[in-house]
């Protein structure tokens, strides 16, 4: 078996191969830290499944109203155990992360309320949900306003601005764990804990929601274990393990989850309705695989960071920095690099590797976006993927990889593409 010649046959040049391997060798200590969290979370998921007595009967299909769907109900119990919450709503009728957050926000606010973000503007697609960007049907149209303050330049919370930002109308605080398409860092569980404690000291009865997208199973705790009333995420990211075909979750207090269910289905129907269709097995199996997949993706992100930092680009987080999600950001200050990088990642895809991505307008996003996404599940960003909005400072976000070696190949191929497109001088690698 000759690994190197296999990579060469797949389009990687010897210089890129040798250089990436040299970087990878430096990361073994880092990777074993990640494996410890993976191991812990694998047991956490397994124990939750065993404690809830997940059985073969949970894997069968239901249709129509989905009354007495025991597989669905038990999966929600499993989620509640993993997130240490009173209840959870885990549904394939939730079409994406934005939808899960929308259901949580609409369900848990009333006209006249204000929503406050202490960590800057939220993820692009939420700007329309909130009505920061004018949109039909936004929370703003229902008389729910939105306010925020930024994280400080040095990355710390702006305690003074947070205290001022919370007023008598503030009913819900939304904390986005992951950086999304912004330049700030992703929050650690420790930081979220500190932030929640402070908010509670200002206004104890406030509802605190954490957008947990991309953060699940990266640490040994989830935000709901440090005081959040609800955590929300997408099943085509970490907790779906690359196997869930669609879905989202809201895990939290009984009150928060019931409020969300009232919006997803209807007041009175709540969690009683909603067939799992044929998805139960995939949602269980995906959850079971999720700690492994999240760890693989995280290792791929660390390799990317080591490789691109070594090649002279600015990467956040750095390869040895604390990490709290699976995203790696490389800033190029030039749109040509963003496009070329994404084309490289696409060349490494399992599906549609022969397609050349182009920047396009995308629903919910303000700028053109280029996406590399050759996935089994359409748009799944727990699979190897990269995307970047075509705007200053021209940062590309890389994430996913169902296996570490796929992610590694994506890292190599992206660099290879920059070289092939004449944007990076191969001689700099030796
Ligand atoms: C992906 C993401 C969302 C939205 O999820 P979609 O599934 O794309 O709608 C929201 N917040 C954060 C931080 C995300 O990463």
């Amino acid at each position: 078996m000759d690994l190197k010649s296999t990579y060469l046959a797949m389009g990687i040049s010897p210089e890129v191969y040798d250089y990436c391997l040299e970087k990878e060798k430096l990361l073994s200590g880092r990777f074993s830290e990640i494996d410890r969290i993976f191991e812990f979370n694998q047991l956490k998921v397994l124990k939750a499944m065993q404690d809830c007595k997940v059985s073969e009967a949970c894997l069968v299909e239901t249709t129509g109203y989905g009354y007495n769907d025991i597989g669905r109900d038990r999966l929600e119990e499993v989620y509640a155990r993993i997130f240490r919450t009173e209840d959870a709503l885990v549904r394939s009728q939730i079409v994406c992360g934005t939808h899960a957050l929308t259901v949580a926000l609409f369900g848990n606010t009333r006209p006249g309320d204000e929503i406050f973000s202490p960590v800057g503007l939220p993820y692009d697609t939420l700007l329309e949900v909130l009505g920061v960007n004018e949109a039909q049907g936004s929370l703003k149209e229902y008389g729910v306003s939105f306010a925020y303050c930024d994280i400080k330049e040095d990355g710390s919370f702006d305690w003074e601005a947070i205290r001022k930002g919370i007023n008598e109308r503030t009913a819900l605080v939304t904390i986005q764990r992951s950086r999304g398409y912004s330049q700030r860092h992703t929050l650690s569980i420790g930081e979220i804990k500190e932030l929640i404690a402070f908010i509670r000291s200002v206004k104890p009865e406030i509802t605190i929601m954490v957008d947990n997208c991309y953060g699940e199973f990266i640490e040994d705790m989830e935000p709901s274990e440090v005081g959040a009333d609800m955590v929300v995420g997408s099943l085509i990211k970490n907790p779906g393990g690359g196997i869930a075909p669609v879905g989202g979750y809201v895990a939290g207090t009984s009150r928060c989850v019931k409020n969300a269910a009232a919006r997803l289905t209807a007041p009175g129907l709540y969690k009683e309705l909603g067939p799992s269709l044929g998805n139960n097995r995939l949602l269980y199996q995906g959850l079971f695989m999720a700690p492994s997949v999240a760890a693989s993706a995280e290792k791929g992100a660390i390799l990317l960071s080591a490789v691109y930092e070594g090649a002279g680009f600015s990467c956040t987080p750095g390869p040895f920095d604390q990490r709290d999600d699976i995203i790696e950001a490389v800033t190029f200050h030039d749109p040509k690099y963003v496009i070329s990088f994404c084309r490289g990642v696409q060349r490494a895809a399992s599906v549609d590797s022969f397609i050349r991505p182009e920047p396009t307008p995308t629903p919910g996003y303000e700028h053109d976006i280029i996406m590399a996404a050759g996935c089994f599940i359409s748009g799944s960003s727990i699979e190897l993927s990269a995307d970047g909005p075509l705007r200053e400072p021209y940062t590309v976000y890389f994430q996913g990889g169902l296996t570490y070696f796929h992610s590694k190949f994506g890292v190599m191929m992206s660099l290879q593409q920059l070289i092939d497109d004449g944007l990076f001088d191969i001689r700099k690698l030796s």
Side-chain angles (χ1 to χ4, degrees), residues 26 41-42 53 63 69 85 90 97 104 119 121 136 139 141 168 174 227 298 313 332-335 348 359 368 378 402:
L26 307 172
N41 283 323
Q42 184 68 76
K53 295 197 160 49
T63 55
D69 185 329
T85 54
V90 185
V119 295
L121 273 177
Q136 191 175 335
L139 278 157
E141 282 192 354
E168 64 291 343
T174 176
E298 201 183 355
F313 297 101
F332 291 114
H333 300 290
D334 182 341
D368 279 9
S378 174
L402 298 185

Side-chain angles (χ1 to χ4, degrees), residues 96-99 101 123 125-126 176 178 180 211 213-214 234 236-237 365:
C96 63
T98 305
H99 187 201
L101 290 157
Y123 194 76
T125 57
L126 289 174
Q176 182 179 304
S178 175
D211 173 351
C213 282
Y214 290 129
S234 162
I236 63 166
K237 292 181 179 171
Y365 297 88

Side-chain angles (χ1 to χ4, degrees), residues 4 14 34 40 62 128 186 192 202 204 214 220 274 291 331 365 374 390 406:
K4 183 167 176 174
I34 287 165
F40 178 84
T62 62
E128 292 179 21
T186 289
I192 292 173
V202 177
Y214 290 129
D220 60 358
T331 297
Y365 297 88
L390 273 284
H406 189 209

Side-chain angles (χ1 to χ4, degrees), residues 179-192:
R179 59 189 297 172
Y181 289 144
S182 79
Q183 292 300 311
R184 72 157 168 95
H185 71 287
T186 289
L187 306 179
S188 69
I189 293 291
E191 286 172 299
I192 292 173

